[in-house]
Amino acid sequence: MTAKSVLTFNNASLSYPPRTKRDKPQLVLDNIRLSVASGEFVVVIGRSGSGKTSLLNLAAGFHQPTSGAVLLDGKPITGPGAERAVVFQNDALYPWLSARDNIAFPLKIKGLGKSEQNRKADELLAVVGLQNAGDRKIWELSGGMRQRVGIARALAAEPRFLLLDEPLGALDSLTRTRMQGFLLDVWSRSKAGAILITHSIDEALMLGTRIVVLSPNPGRLATDLEVDFSKELLGGAKPEIIRNSPLFKHTEEGLTNLIHSLSPEEEAAA
Ligand SMILES: Nc1ncnc2c1ncn2[C@@H]1O[C@H](COP(=O)(O)OP(=O)(O)OP(=O)(O)O)[C@@H](O)[C@H]1O
Ligand SMILES: [Mg+2]
């Protein structure tokens, strides 16, 4: 495995340009200070529109901060890179390719031969439970299957950072629980750093080594909390036992209250 890496938001702010001449630029992220190192799993939660995807897009290099900096090992991120794999909120697979060829794509870019590409892609297809779907085109797969192909593709290039925007959102609860275990497992074996966005506080608690809450309008870091439940899960503890512990319930309640307390007037208007 490569040496330890760190992805840093150094007082990063992001404004989107005004839509019309009369509008002002919209400040979406305000002065974000956050560091994510290899071996960390940072989960970002917050209301819809609080800037979670925007934060991930900065790390992915799709946007540049309006002020401050986003750095990988001290160097400004100026665009996308293979060492930062992204799974998008809405799957961004290549519809004209089969599931296998989608997963193999980053390996092709890396210059691997066709048989090696296929061998690795088939291995990953099995990991995400799609061993029989390799030949299917993307439009022949369900939403949940597409998400799994997206995750497998992100893992294929063995990136240093996994940037995951609600990667399990379209899954039924059984598959979701299975995929959480799987994600945690691959992440811990890869020693990569991860930033995962979710709307589920339960998922945040189960997967994260840290949980970051974004408050909306503009997105600010409301809290940055270290948690240990994912270590228990990785150590073989049963999810229902973890969920029933007083500390889990207490932390879940604290996070729920915090998110509700952030701009409650918005909720009333929604
Ligand atoms: N490319 C863009 N151009 C202009 N405004 C944008 C753009 N992307 C997002 N926004 C605005 O920035 C704000 C934050 O959006 P963002 O997608 O980061 O939120 P989010 O927390 O990911 O929300 P959700 O939970 O619904 O996915 C919203 O007000 C949105 O309308
Ligand atoms: Mg989003």
Side-chain angles (χ1 to χ4, degrees), residues 99-101 103-105 107-108 110 112-127 130-131 134-135 152 156 158:
R100 179 181 299 103
D101 288 346
I103 298 169
F105 195 79
L107 303 169
K108 186 174 171 181
K110 257 188 154 178
L112 264 66
K114 189 72 190 156
S115 62
E116 187 62 6
Q117 287 175 32
N118 284 342
R119 194 188 61 74
K120 283 209 159 185
D122 282 338
E123 216 174 87
L124 284 161
L125 278 165
V127 169
L130 291 175
Q131 52 276 21
D135 295 325
E158 298 175 15

Side-chain angles (χ1 to χ4, degrees), residues 1-251:
M1 182 62 207
T2 45
K4 234 178 158 138
S5 268
V6 59
L7 205 155
T8 311
F9 294 80
N10 208 345
N11 295 95
S13 295
L14 177 69
S15 294
Y16 288 116
R19 263 180 279 270
T20 66
K21 276 187 187 149
R22 261 184 275 157
D23 286 344
K24 288 191 189 136
Q26 186 194 359
L27 180 64
V28 172
L29 293 170
D30 186 24
N31 225 15
I32 303 293
R33 291 172 62 90
L34 178 70
S35 262
V36 183
S38 308
E40 279 194 296
F41 199 125
V42 175
V43 182
V44 182
I45 50 179
R47 296 283 180 92
S48 181
S50 58
K52 302 180 298 296
T53 296
S54 302
L55 184 85
L56 208 76
N57 284 341
L58 284 178
F62 302 138
H63 293 307
Q64 303 296 317
T66 318
S67 64
V70 185
L71 309 162
L72 180 66
D73 297 327
K75 293 194 200 92
I77 291 171
T78 54
E83 75 292 344
R84 285 161 287 128
V86 185
V87 176
F88 296 93
Q89 187 164 8
N90 301 308
D91 78 79
L93 300 166
Y94 309 121
W96 61 92
L97 295 180
S98 67
R100 179 181 299 103
D101 288 346
N102 263 277
I103 298 169
F105 195 79
L107 303 169
K108 186 174 171 181
I109 303 275
K110 257 188 154 178
L112 264 66
K114 189 72 190 156
S115 62
E116 187 62 6
Q117 287 175 32
N118 284 342
R119 194 188 61 74
K120 283 209 159 185
D122 282 338
E123 216 174 87
L124 284 161
L125 278 165
V127 169
V128 297
L130 291 175
Q131 52 276 21
N132 298 321
D135 295 325
R136 291 210 224 161
K137 293 282 192 292
I138 294 309
W139 44 266
E140 294 174 301
L141 302 175
S142 73
M145 290 163 116
R146 290 178 198 194
Q147 282 193 326
R148 285 184 272 164
V149 173
I151 292 170
R153 186 177 64 182
L155 295 167
E158 298 175 15
R160 280 191 275 164
F161 285 93
L162 285 165
L163 307 174
L164 309 159
D165 197 350
E166 299 188 43
L168 309 180
L171 302 177
D172 66 88
S173 67
L174 268 182
T175 316
R176 189 165 181 158
T177 305
R178 229 188 53 219
M179 286 299 294
Q180 287 173 349
F182 147 74
L183 245 187
L184 210 53
D185 214 47
V186 238
W187 159 79
S188 86
R189 273 188 279 138
S190 73
K191 309 275 193 299
I195 304 179
L196 177 139
I197 293 170
T198 181
H199 276 118
S200 160
I201 294 174
D202 179 81
E203 184 163 281
L205 288 164
M206 287 308 229
L207 295 183
T209 59
R210 271 163 71 198
I211 299 177
V212 161
V213 179
L214 272 191
S215 70
N217 299 322
R220 293 195 175 113
L221 281 196
T223 196
D224 186 342
L225 185 75
E226 293 213 14
V227 279
D228 279 334
F229 308 110
S230 61
K231 286 180 200 132
E232 293 175 29
L233 198 58
L234 272 171
K238 288 210 162 67
E240 56 274 23
I241 305 276
I242 298 174
R243 283 193 183 99
N244 276 326
S245 76
L247 182 61
F248 187 96
K249 287 186 173 158
H250 177 78
T251 318

